[in-house]
Amino acid sequence: MKRNQFSLFLLFLVFIIGCKTANEEKFESLNTPFLESAFEKFKEPAITHRRFRHADLQPLIQKHQNSFQITELGKSVEGRSITSLDWGKGSTKVMLWSQMHGNESTATMALFDLFNFLEASGDEYDSLRNLLKTSLSLKFIPMINPDGAEVFQRRNALDIDLNRDAISQISPEAVILKNARDSFEPEFGFNLHDQQVYYNVVNTAKQATISVLAPAYNYETEINEVRGRAMKTIVGMNRLLQELIPGQVGKYDDAFEPRAFGDNIQKWGTSTILIESGGYVGDAEKQYIRKLNFLIILNALHQIATQSYEQHSIDEYFAIPDNDLQLVDLIIKEMQVEVEGKKFPVDLAIRRRENNADSTFYVTGNVEDLGDMQVYFGFEEIDATGLSFKEGKVFEQEFENLAAISSEEAIELLRQGYLGVKIKNGKPGDLHQLPILILQSKKDFNFGWKTGSSPNFFLAEGDLLKYAIVNGYLIDLENPKEQVLKQRVF
Ligand SMILES: [Zn+2]
């Protein structure tokens, strides 16, 4: 190599290295603590639980009228407004819609946190905001199904599942969403839902706190440019999530559903990302999962603004494990039950389903399945080898009201074989946290160990009562632990 050739080579090397550094800077992802402090700073304080309603959101929407373009897109079946909030003046259009299922509100909370973040200025987040503002045009439609949200139910006031109404558009809410997509023609779309808390990451006991999907646009589940972009963006979001909830991200089945919005919006040319918020132990009101939504949406918007999703591979998307629906609240292993005078050891899988009660909930325990339960995972599991099923009784004496019974007294009654106590004053449906069944209108309670039964019974070793199962809650009678019980009066 001659000397001037060598200099040229050196120059070339410098050029290559320079390009690489510039690229890396451009593709650098946001660091997670930086985003986490943004959440803490901009979290909307007016939303504190997941059963908020349309009326609660209206002042929060109006609050942003100076920074966002606010448009009423139409009205729900019962006449509630559905509003879009637009922000940014960039060329890449992104649409985000939440709560088409009325009882799936986690992402709605995160969107309001995001509005506060985007609206602010004069802090360490300015460069991120400016990047988003100049690269993206965002259209947010929070709470597409306000009538469902009003009573915290999945379906709308016509009892239609909006996510099966993308084509027929029988519901005004579906028409609104479809029109918004068609007139805006976003490059990217975020379809924001909640899933049951019983989703796990396949073959593991880990709860799928977040599930993701780049929905299919045809039965063959092919991958085109549009769907591929969604998959790559999900890879970046998953990397962030793995830092905070390792092993707790699941990927949804991509079977094509011809009536669903996600699948069709993908088909209509918008790279569509489904986020499903599941459960997280100790986070009944999903405030931590709200934060995760805030983080991954911001992460995704940054990826889209910088096109850094291009660095990710579709293979990495497929490497995200599938989700499964194998979690239950309690597994009782090898409990002895007696039938026809013979004893059989059975495993019981119990779930405690939520029921609405104004702004909160109570649970109803249910025996989901029994026999060999090795394919299920329990949030709580107990080995009942050597213990037998035993019925409980109702205490003969009536208490004045709920306040007249303490937790300690309730536990003492359990130890004596009573699972239910009666009260004079109070009404069915009143909420309480006592570890015993409270009866007002009813004289007795349901119980059993077969599928569909109410799990109210004792686990006994001979005559000694070791555990009480009360409405599906496990209570260790020797060492009762502190736990939050969501009970109601019968
Ligand atoms: Zn949903």
Side-chain angles (χ1 to χ4, degrees), residues 101 104 154 193-194 276:
H101 294 138
E104 300 178 7
R154 178 180 177 86
H193 291 251
D194 283 56
E276 295 265 2

Side-chain angles (χ1 to χ4, degrees), residues 31-41 125 244 291 295:
N31 86 57
T32 306
F34 181 71
L35 293 180
E36 287 187 276
S37 24
F39 174 77
E40 298 309 331
K41 190 167 171 188
Y125 301 103
L244 299 172
K291 170 176 162 173
L295 301 181

Side-chain angles (χ1 to χ4, degrees), residues 151-326:
V151 285
F152 211 66
Q153 70 177 24
R154 178 180 177 86
R155 291 167 179 251
N156 72 356
L158 290 173
D159 200 29
I160 284 177
D161 181 340
L162 289 179
N163 211 21
R164 300 291 178 266
D165 203 17
I167 301 300
S168 286
Q169 292 164 44
I170 300 160
S171 312
E173 299 90 344
V175 175
I176 288 167
L177 182 55
K178 173 71 160 77
N179 287 348
R181 202 231 68 100
D182 288 353
S183 57
F184 190 55
E185 296 193 313
E187 264 177 61
F188 280 84
F190 288 82
N191 187 16
L192 306 170
H193 291 251
D194 283 56
Q195 64 187 6
Q196 289 186 54
V197 298
Y198 300 116
Y199 274 97
N200 62 313
V201 172
V202 72
N203 297 330
T204 77
K206 291 207 169 189
Q207 198 169 17
T209 298
I210 296 281
S211 289
V212 289
L213 177 70
Y217 60 89
N218 62 13
Y219 284 107
E220 294 75 28
T221 68
E222 288 172 310
I223 302 164
N224 59 4
E225 179 78 27
V226 170
R227 189 172 177 220
R229 271 198 311 241
M231 289 175 165
K232 291 173 181 177
T233 309
I234 287 172
V235 168
M237 295 157 65
N238 181 48
R239 285 190 185 184
L240 186 163
L241 288 171
Q242 292 304 327
E243 290 175 40
L244 299 172
I245 47 166
Q248 290 190 251
V249 180
K251 177 164 87 317
Y252 253 93
D253 178 342
D254 68 351
F256 179 64
E257 166 49 71
R259 302 167 299 167
F261 266 102
D263 306 48
N264 281 292
I265 290 180
Q266 193 90 274
K267 183 172 161 182
W268 299 327
T270 296
S271 296
T272 305
I273 292 167
L274 170 75
I275 302 176
E276 295 265 2
S277 296
Y280 189 77
V281 171
D283 188 24
E285 289 304 328
K286 298 202 176 190
Q287 299 301 304
Y288 180 63
I289 311 174
R290 161 189 187 170
K291 170 176 162 173
L292 296 176
N293 271 263
F294 175 90
L295 301 181
I296 54 176
I297 292 171
L298 211 42
N299 163 290
L301 295 178
H302 178 258
Q303 287 192 69
I304 295 166
T306 57
Q307 295 186 346
S308 60
Y309 57 81
E310 285 296 356
Q311 71 186 312
H312 300 308
S313 75
I314 285 171
D315 287 348
E316 192 172 334
Y317 170 81
F318 281 106
I320 299 171
D322 290 339
N323 64 12
D324 204 353
L325 194 50
Q326 296 300 103

